[in-house]
Amino acid sequence: MNRRRAGFFFLLVAPTLLLAAAGTVCAQPVLPQIQIGVGTADDPQEVATSLQILLLLTILALAPSIIIMTTAFVRIVVVLSFTRSALALQQTPPNQVIIGLALFLTFFIMAPTWKEVNEQALQPYMAGELGHEEAFTAAAEPVKDFMYRQTRPRDLRLFMQLGEEPRPEELADIPLHILIPAFVISELKTAFQMGFMLYVPFLVIDMIVASTLMAMGMLMLPPVMISLPFKVMLFVLVDGWNLVINSIISGFR
């Protein structure tokens, strides 16, 4: 259990740890020495240790997926994908640009939360002031507070009922395995709502262009080909990226 809590604690503080490590490496580059060996276990304790290490490596392999599912990344990347689809642009901006922009926006939105994790859990843990369990609890509080503020009560109530958990009295009583899926489906609903609002003005342009072409008897000309420049021009004139990013960030305030 302590190993598992240590693994989850690492996932909570990984972004803060990476940012701090990046500054240290840039200031004084150090090449680490890594030694990997395989041997035979002589007693049951060594077997148990090996299984714990295997479990920890499995958690670390899933760390990127777990981290992005507990941050603002889900909503951001879905809304940006909807924006590209609403413009009828297949590969513009490219997927690398969409993912990169979503990551940097995630860092911007999650910076206050990760700062709290660093001050309340990571630094005391590295200084030896907190143990694994205390550090995990301290690191989970800011993350749970962020997710709880974005989670709909209906989604949270759904997973509490499915998990047969008692009614929580406060935020600390909500387990992470209940809060995380409720947070994810709440983020998906919010992202789809924003995506619908993005589609409406461009759908109007498509309808106007299609009706005009039909009235002119140009039935063989694809309306999408004609409406695409108008949709791009509208998006540029209203400073669409500024409006979209502002709406995304404002939704987390």
Side-chain angles (χ1 to χ4, degrees):
M1 181 61 69
N2 290 337
R3 293 282 184 176
R4 184 178 301 176
R5 285 184 172 270
F8 279 111
F9 169 69
F10 176 81
L11 295 181
L12 293 175
V13 303
T16 305
L17 190 60
L18 289 176
L19 293 176
T24 305
V25 171
C26 292
Q28 185 179 2
V30 178
L31 296 178
Q33 181 181 3
I34 301 176
Q35 297 181 354
I36 300 177
V38 178
T40 58
D42 298 330
D43 53 51
Q45 184 177 1
E46 293 183 358
V47 176
T49 303
S50 300
L51 293 177
Q52 292 174 352
I53 293 175
L54 181 62
L55 177 61
L56 181 61
L57 291 177
T58 302
I59 295 176
L60 293 179
L62 299 175
S65 300
I66 297 176
I67 290 175
I68 66 176
M69 296 299 283
T70 58
T71 62
F73 182 84
V74 175
R75 184 191 304 186
I76 296 172
V77 74
V78 172
V79 172
L80 294 180
S81 299
F82 268 115
T83 303
R84 184 175 64 179
S85 299
L87 288 168
L89 300 173
Q90 299 300 324
Q91 295 297 330
T92 305
N95 291 331
Q96 292 84 350
V97 176
I98 295 293
I99 298 299
L101 179 59
L103 285 174
F104 280 107
L105 290 177
T106 301
F107 292 152
F108 177 80
I109 294 172
M110 298 299 299
T113 301
W114 289 341
K115 182 179 179 181
E116 292 184 19
V117 172
N118 180 52
E119 295 176 352
Q120 299 179 11
L122 180 59
Q123 295 301 327
Y125 175 74
M126 297 180 65
E129 300 175 0
L130 296 177
H132 290 307
E133 295 186 1
E134 293 82 3
F136 173 78
T137 303
E141 289 180 358
V143 178
K144 291 174 68 174
D145 179 68
F146 170 80
M147 290 191 293
Y148 180 76
R149 286 187 283 108
Q150 313 303 326
T151 304
R152 298 186 305 161
R154 180 178 181 180
D155 296 328
L156 183 60
R157 184 165 56 251
L158 169 65
F159 284 96
M160 293 293 293
Q161 292 175 353
L162 294 177
E164 297 181 354
E165 294 286 341
R167 183 183 179 89
E169 298 295 335
E170 55 185 9
L171 179 59
D173 298 333
I174 304 177
L176 279 174
H177 71 277
I178 296 293
L179 183 58
I180 292 177
F183 166 75
V184 172
I185 64 174
S186 295
E187 288 292 279
L188 290 176
K189 178 180 175 59
T190 304
F192 273 66
Q193 289 174 338
M194 298 179 67
F196 171 77
M197 298 303 297
L198 285 169
Y199 260 96
V200 172
F202 301 115
L203 180 61
V204 172
I205 294 178
D206 286 334
M207 294 175 63
I208 294 175
V209 171
S211 300
T212 304
L213 293 177
M214 185 176 298
M216 297 174 61
M218 305 173 66
L219 302 178
M220 300 302 294
L221 187 62
V224 177
M225 183 182 301
I226 304 300
S227 64
L228 179 58
F230 292 100
K231 290 191 289 187
V232 174
M233 181 181 64
L234 173 64
F235 194 74
V236 172
L237 289 178
V238 300
D239 199 1
W241 289 114
N242 184 284
L243 293 176
V244 171
I245 300 304
N246 184 32
S247 299
I248 293 175
I249 296 178
S250 300
F252 290 98
R253 298 294 175 84

